[in-house]
Amino acid sequence: MRIFSGIQPTGRKHLGNYIGAVRQYVEGQDRGEPAIYCIVDLHATSVPYDPKALPGYVYDTTAMLLAAGLDPARCILFRQSDVKEHTELAWLLTSVTAHGDLNRMHQFKDKSAQQRELISAGLFLYPVLMAADVLAYRAHEVPVGDDQRQHVELTRDIAERFNATYGEVLVAPEHRIPEVGARIMDLQEPTRKMSTTGSEERGLIFVDEDEAAIVKKLKSAVTDSGSEVRRGTDKPGITNLIDIVAATRGVTPEEVEREFSGSRYGDFKVAVADAVAAYLAPVRERYGELRADEEALEAALVQGAERARAIASDTLADVRTAMGIGATGPT
Ligand code: ATP
Ligand code: MG
């Protein structure tokens, strides 16, 4: 079982990333043979970003993943741009990617609507680069949040079309989406997902947020009409808070509903804040220490890239041969 996933270095990561993706990475690192996790700096260029800040954001995200429990001795952790096979494979995969499929992607629709100046071709091609990330490692499983379901399905389609066109080279992967907390919603707009690039600060809880800020943000989270602590399509705010408590405490949403039946919203929100603060505190503590040592972070990434390259270059050699790209040697 080979596991692969990627995470963007777009500044501080949030509770949705942590619950939807990062805790699955940690769980997967001893199951994966190997488990491969990538900080996808090339994806970060698909929307406007600050080139001076990006290298530091890569360290932020690396330190957060280590603080969460990833161990470079038990998984492969690296920076996407260090392994050039990703970009080469992305181009080669465009030959088996349908333009119409890219046009249907929810993420492209959502993010292109947010752009004021330029909708880059990179935003449109994002899912092809993501497919290349996964397929370069012939991964079987891709742990992601629910918002990436469609991209992983497209990755499968691309792999299958490649194999049908050029011969059996790639592996069509499955997504692994958590049962609880697959889509943590924005605290101020609970009908939209909590998002690094799409949410305002008040709508997000950052992984390294201190307890006072966590309490403040959760107390002012938007709730719904009515007063019952129960889930429902008419109660997106409370449903989100119930999911957050369930995920952070490792219980089911039904158990949370039972425990807080009869509670008032205000009391429930205090309990949510306590659960989230307790959940994130150990990560925040380790994060500070790890983030301070950039040399150690860089060394871990460089080492991870070497191991990643060994796998990806093997796949690329097979892809190039199958596609008739490059020299074939003397005939
Ligand atoms: P952006 O909104 O700009 O795309 P992001 O918050 O989605 O940023 P990513 O680095 O793209 O951050 O996502 C990393 C992982 O976190 C992915 O597996 C994604 O599915 C997951 N994820 C993102 N947002 C949420 C969320 N609100 N709830 C659960 N999982 C999420
Ligand atoms: Mg995303």
Side-chain angles (χ1 to χ4, degrees):
M1 171 66 69
R2 199 173 272 175
I3 298 175
F4 178 93
S5 195
I7 184 165
Q8 295 196 72
T10 34
R12 298 161 81 193
K13 303 310 284 186
H14 55 73
L15 186 65
N17 301 135
Y18 199 89
I19 290 174
V22 175
R23 73 185 164 132
Q24 299 203 81
Y25 299 175
V26 177
E27 176 276 326
Q29 69 179 339
D30 294 320
R31 211 161 39 79
E33 294 175 321
I36 307 166
Y37 303 118
C38 179
I39 320 273
V40 294
D41 54 345
L42 297 171
H43 278 97
T45 67
S46 59
V47 291
Y49 73 101
D50 178 359
K52 288 209 177 66
L54 184 57
Y57 287 167
V58 172
Y59 293 139
D60 293 346
T61 304
T62 308
M64 189 273 287
L65 292 174
L66 297 176
L70 286 190
D71 173 359
R74 284 149 68 205
C75 67
I76 299 180
L77 175 63
F78 71 105
R79 173 171 44 214
Q80 183 185 32
S81 60
D82 286 346
V83 180
K84 301 215 183 336
E85 280 77 0
H86 291 234
T87 40
E88 180 179 351
L89 184 56
W91 176 255
L92 295 175
L93 292 178
T94 58
S95 83
V96 284
T97 306
H99 180 273
D101 284 346
L102 293 178
N103 247 334
R104 286 191 300 109
M105 294 294 119
H106 304 305
Q107 179 174 295
F108 176 68
K109 287 184 196 162
D110 293 347
K111 289 197 182 179
S112 57
Q114 290 165 24
Q115 304 311 313
R116 299 244 161 85
E117 309 249 309
L118 172 78
I119 299 169
S120 72
L123 196 54
F124 186 69
L125 290 171
Y126 184 114
V128 188
L129 181 57
M130 175 167 159
D133 297 338
V134 174
L135 299 179
Y137 300 93
R138 294 175 165 126
H140 305 99
E141 184 181 294
V142 186
V144 283
D146 184 64
D147 64 300
Q148 292 302 315
R149 183 185 295 273
Q150 197 185 29
H151 285 170
V152 180
E153 278 163 14
L154 180 67
T155 300
R156 282 185 66 81
D157 293 344
I158 291 174
E160 281 163 6
R161 195 173 296 116
F162 185 97
N163 289 346
T165 309
Y166 300 113
E168 208 57 43
V169 173
L170 300 175
V171 171
E174 306 276 349
H175 51 59
R176 186 181 178 95
I177 295 174
E179 271 173 37
V180 180
R183 182 178 283 268
I184 300 296
M185 308 309 266
D186 185 300
L187 299 177
Q188 292 300 320
E189 284 181 79
T191 51
R192 305 179 33 165
K193 88 165 184 94
M194 193 178 278
S195 156
T196 315
T197 51
S199 293
E200 302 214 357
E201 254 208 66
R202 290 183 316 145
L204 296 163
I205 289 182
F206 295 112
V207 174
D208 65 343
E209 198 112 69
D210 64 46
E211 188 168 346
I214 292 174
V215 170
K216 189 164 167 229
K217 286 182 177 180
L218 281 166
K219 275 194 178 160
S220 57
V222 166
T223 43
D224 322 286
S225 53
S227 58
E228 267 175 278
V229 178
R230 62 158 175 84
R231 288 171 302 156
T233 46
D234 55 330
K235 294 169 92 70
I238 289 292
T239 301
N240 189 36
L241 297 181
I242 290 173
D243 281 351
I244 289 174
V245 175
T248 53
R249 285 203 196 153
V251 299
T252 64
E254 290 78 9
E255 286 174 274
V256 178
E257 283 175 326
R258 269 199 295 281
E259 181 179 340
F260 291 95
S261 77
S263 294
R264 286 188 309 209
Y265 281 175
D267 297 333
F268 176 55
K269 283 175 165 183
V270 171
V272 182
D274 286 347
V276 172
Y279 184 64
L280 294 179
V283 187
R284 186 180 72 239
E285 278 160 28
R286 287 193 293 269
Y287 175 82
E289 239 169 78
L290 290 159
R291 181 64 184 86
D293 191 349
E294 286 193 356
E295 262 173 53
L297 296 171
E298 183 58 34
L301 292 174
V302 167
Q303 220 188 32
E306 270 169 41
R307 293 169 64 206
R309 204 175 296 120
I311 303 173
S313 61
D314 222 46
T315 310
L316 259 289
D318 292 348
V319 165
R320 289 172 66 113
T321 304
M323 292 182 74
I325 295 296
T328 49
T331 47

